[in-house]
Amino acid sequence: MYAFNEGAIPVVDPTSADGIYSLLWLIIALPLAGAAILLVGGRFTDKWGHLLGTLLPIGSFGLSLALFLDLVGRDEADRQVSQHLYTWIQVGGLDVGADLLYDPLSALFLLLITGVGSLIHVYSIGYMAHDPRRRRFFGYLNLFVAAMLTLVLAENYLGLFLGWEGVGLASYLLIGFWQHKPSAAAAAKKAFVINRVGDMGMSTAIMMLFVTFGSTSFTVISEKAGDASDTQLTILGLLLLLGACAKSAQFPLQAWLLDAMEGPTPVSALIHAATMVTAGVYLIVRSNFIFELAPHAQTAVVVVALISIFWGAAIGCAKDDIKKGLAGSTMSQIGYMMLGAGLGAAGYAFAIFHLMTHGFFKANMFLGAGSVMHGMDDDVDMRHYGALRKMMPVTFLTFAMGYLAIIGFPGFSGFWSKDKIIETALADSWLVGICALLGAGVTGFYMTRMMLMTFFGEKRWEKDVHPHESPSVMTGPLVALAALSVLGGIMLAGDWIQDFLAPVVGSEAHDDPPLPALAVTTIAVLVVAAGVALAWMLFGRQAVPRTAPQDVSFATRAARAELYGNQINDGLVVTPTRHLVGGLLVLDKRGVDGTLTGGATGVGALGGLARRAQNGFVRTYALSLLGGALLVVLALLAVNLA
Amino acid sequence: MNVTAYVVLSGILFTIGCVGVLTRRNAIVVFMCVELMLNASNLALVAFARQHGNLDGQIAAFFVMVVAAAEVVVGLAIIMTIFRTRRSASVDDASLLKY
């Protein structure tokens, strides 16, 4: 344990970068250069663009790994390094530097982003091989990686916000990558608009941070956080939570994530499962110095997390589209991370731990789903799958590793990470803990359903579909991610991850849980087993119909409709906004335009009258000249005589 | 010296010119009436200069003469051109430049 600040909120106090750490900027610069070359270079780079676009993130990964190994070798108190690049903004009291902060938290994120990111780049070479716009796809992917790295490396909230918006842009471009499909274009727009709601929270939070602390730097704010009033800190926490909800697809801003599956599958794996959607969790963990002092905001985080766990799980249970099912699962799993982050110092490390393992197994399963779609002529309906385990052995085995990891099969990475969160939640309160436990059971149910419908049972394929295993450039990353899904739990060995993250998030042994840890684990495994068994009863023993049954309960209908999230948004926001805009339009046309054009018409009519004086007869002009002269003379006389 | 008679004469000449400009249609006559008005004012200027015993008014009269000469040149040229194109010297006929 990181003994000397047990229970205290750690302060960000980095040393200046030297030696190998002075290359920190290069981690962002490499993929950024890739994006610039591929997007500016245009079709001249078509031939080798995807190779360059893959090599650069791999380069970043190598550098991240070197830095990580060096950081682990350092003394615990000396594991925060900052690099000042240049003065970014200097206006009056606002002084923002382009500073990077490299500490255990960002180190782990760098490995996840560049590592999983590189694997997904490799996979995309195969997946996008037949797409005429593959070079552009890699350009966007590189742009995303660069923005995400900026997000986690920034030393102040403004830099973080730059990356935050960058990943939002990349996400928009990639969801709508197949822009010829109206559904993809609409999905991109939807993701962008919902994220603006969160950005409103983020930008307001940043302005408030500046007003309250006079700076946006983590170093300054973590030091001064105690000076702010409770109200200020609570408002700050809630605003940051709003930003996190939009980016991480948490209730109530979750509606965009399912539509985001319109993008190519590698995008869903990288952006909408492994990295970008976890940025909200990163934000909350990074802002631990605010949330630790704002218990009400922490409670809000827990509530949002619990709702999202079940909301996402319900969607995952009902969707027949394999990618949408996985998206619901992502929302639910991020709920677990948020739950960990909302539990305070006892849970931060486990939130990040689950974030890492989820990054592995969910990217694995998304890529597996992409591999299945590749073999099934881009059909995403699981009711048209079945019995694929023999046709796609590698995809099946790697998907199975991800499956066992996500349901929490003992020994697999997800088992360790989820178990720790459930244990911490139980220690916090009975209610939260039991909700987390139930959520794990539902996870077991919907993932088993997906597994059974896809790889087991009878063949339900469409005509003319000949499933085949994907090329090795696609299965290679699958194998690597499957290995990580199995072995990811190793980070917990000897409490390594808690100790490693302690300088950033502090450490705190949670209260004694009401049950011994082993009992909690056993119960969790039993609950999951019950979920798996139920799924087997429904989808393993019985044949799965090729079309979704229509005479189903209200709950199923609601879950298929994503719990009416879109309808709620439409009713509460979209329709009132439309009416408001319609009203404003009428007001603008009739009121504002009416006043202006009315005034102009009046002046014009007046001018038309005055114009009549200009009749072209010289003698009339002479007469008016005389009249004018007479008037002047009379006026002079009147003045002089008076 | 008493200048009343001169000023009265000047006023009469100016009024005749003024009425001429306003009532006659022939451009040449209108032009002559304008000259009449200019000379009426010249007479007034010279008369008042004599009364005050200085040369200011007389100098002003010379200026008016020079300007009037220049104006005659331009004015007659315009009248000539209009007459050539329209076969008319009536000022009311040249009324196209209007609203």
Side-chain angles (χ1 to χ4, degrees), chain A residues 546-565:
Chain A
R546 278 199 89 238
T547 49
Q550 292 306 312
D551 53 339
V552 290
S553 65
F554 172 74
T556 313
R557 274 204 301 277
R560 278 185 190 159
E562 298 160 30
L563 299 187
Y564 302 114

Side-chain angles (χ1 to χ4, degrees), chain A residues 53-66:
Chain A
T54 310
L55 281 177
L56 289 172
I58 292 177
S60 283
F61 175 67
L63 203 53
S64 308
L65 195 63

Side-chain angles (χ1 to χ4, degrees), chain A residues 336 406-410 414-424 426 433-445 515-532:
Chain A
Y336 273 106
I406 193 176
I407 65 168
F409 192 81
F415 166 74
W416 304 107
S417 55
K418 203 182 287 176
D419 187 55
K420 276 293 175 189
I421 291 179
I422 293 173
E423 191 185 307
T424 316
L426 260 178
I434 286 171
C435 286
L437 259 175
L438 285 178
V442 187
T443 309
F445 174 78
L515 298 167
L518 196 64
V520 175
T521 309
T522 317
I523 293 173
V525 171
L526 287 177
V527 170
V528 170
V532 172

